Amino acid sequence: MRKINRHGLDIELTNRCNAYCNFCPRDKTPQQGFIDFEVFKQAAARAKEEGIFVMLAGQGESLIHPEFERCIEHLTSEGIDFGLTTNASLLTEARSRYLLDQGITRLTFSAGDLGDDYEEVYGLDFENTFAHIKTFLDLNNNEYNGRCDTWISLVEHEINYGKRDEIKQFWMDQGADGVYCYRQISRGGACDNGYYFLRSNNYINEAAQAMDENGISKLCNLAFTAPFVGWNGQYYVCCSDYEKKVPLGSVADYSIAEMDHIKIDSIHNGNAACMMCNYDPLNSIRESYFELEHGIIDEKTLQRRLVIMKKDQESQTDIYGEGGIVDEFEPQKMIKTISIA
């Protein structure tokens, strides 16, 4: 099997958080805790085996982990490139300097709203968050030669709808390298945020036929390009298994490569998170059929989305090309989609 070009390994230091984002189903978070340092070391070793980047991310705020600095220093001592996703509310100037001195190469700030909107959505003080983000950006750009890529994560929702360009320009003016904009994620069904496919089993056959006719695989690449280890040391199909419905095995027992085959079996058997995820290719096309039915898009838009999905898969030869992992996946074997009761 061809070696997979992975984005990195997401390691969840904790699923606890000090923010109360209204687009995050915090009430659906399962048992909460902090990753044990020995478990973290094992997860880091798995990343080192693959020669890939570690991103400290997940359902919680990494900076509240009581051994955060110890984890960072372990990555540095092992020569593992690392990044961090944070809401920045606890990112003091001292911590910013510390991370930059330790060699952080990527930092994503969850700050997709401004001012009063931010405080309503995140439940945190905007001026405090802004000051911390601005301090990091200035230090990185002025004293550390821009060594760290800096991004803003902007989740679109009813409050910031139509303000994307304003928010993006604001953060670019502060010195960020870029802004990610994306729709709310269904988080494996934990978040009921209006996706039609979550409420109905319609359009399974229509979407499957359209994908088959266009040569589009029903296998999602994220399970393999973005492996995820929860704070409990378990692999999950990806970070979209927000409720941790389907633990797949301990990081102590399986390498990332060994986990690929376990994930394929789990997807074949109907992984509960995948079946209710908007990133799943079949669900994505099904959603387009629902949007067509409700007059939100037209037929040309549907066809354009199919073309884009096909091109995206063609560019990922390690997943969808000859000898890629899709060769071990049976595209004709349909996974029954579950609707929310």
Side-chain angles (χ1 to χ4, degrees), residues 1-2 4 317-329:
M1 186 175 69
R2 183 178 299 182
I4 295 173
T317 55
D318 54 328
I319 302 292
Y320 301 104
E322 183 178 353
I325 203 163
V326 75
D327 281 350
E328 299 187 33
F329 181 75

Side-chain angles (χ1 to χ4, degrees), residues 136-286:
F136 186 92
L137 293 175
D138 288 347
L139 286 171
N140 181 54
N141 293 332
N142 299 327
E143 296 186 29
Y144 291 84
N145 298 316
R147 68 170 61 163
C148 180
D149 289 334
T150 53
W151 291 81
I152 302 295
S153 173
L154 191 162
V155 179
E156 294 184 332
H157 50 78
E158 65 278 1
I159 292 178
N160 66 13
Y161 186 77
K163 301 179 182 180
R164 181 175 65 179
D165 291 343
E166 173 192 349
I167 296 169
K168 181 177 180 179
Q169 189 61 54
F170 176 86
W171 288 118
M172 296 298 290
D173 288 345
Q174 307 309 316
D177 291 317
V179 178
Y180 290 121
C181 301
Y182 53 91
R183 294 177 65 185
Q184 293 184 55
I185 303 168
S186 65
R187 299 176 185 265
C191 191
D192 183 5
N193 43 21
Y195 285 103
Y196 294 107
F197 79 89
L198 290 172
R199 303 172 183 275
S200 170
N201 282 329
N202 291 344
Y203 295 119
I204 294 176
N205 293 331
E206 291 87 345
Q209 181 177 345
M211 295 173 77
D212 290 343
E213 289 174 351
N214 286 273
I216 299 172
S217 172
K218 302 174 188 70
L219 183 66
C220 181
N221 70 314
L222 290 179
F224 311 100
T225 60
F228 172 76
V229 175
W231 70 269
N232 55 8
Q234 288 285 317
Y235 288 101
Y236 294 88
V237 68
C238 76
C239 65
S240 287
D241 190 351
Y242 187 90
E243 296 179 83
K244 295 182 169 60
K245 297 175 180 177
V246 189
L248 298 175
S250 171
V251 71
D253 298 328
Y254 299 99
S255 69
I256 294 171
E258 289 170 335
M259 184 52 55
D260 290 336
H261 300 280
I262 296 172
K263 288 179 178 179
I264 288 175
D265 288 341
S266 179
I267 295 170
H268 270 319
N269 293 328
N271 185 289
C274 297
M275 289 190 291
M276 301 177 76
C277 181
N278 63 290
Y279 281 143
D280 175 83
L282 181 63
N283 286 337
S284 177
I285 298 303
R286 287 181 60 224

Side-chain angles (χ1 to χ4, degrees), residues 6 24-25 33 88 97 118 150 157 208 220 304 306:
R6 306 187 198 274
C24 182
R97 288 187 179 276
Y118 173 89
T150 53
H157 50 78
C220 181
R304 184 164 61 248
L306 288 165

Side-chain angles (χ1 to χ4, degrees), residues 106-118:
R106 190 175 193 86
L107 188 51
T108 299
F109 298 106
S110 297
D113 294 87
L114 305 175
D116 291 341
D117 287 351
Y118 173 89

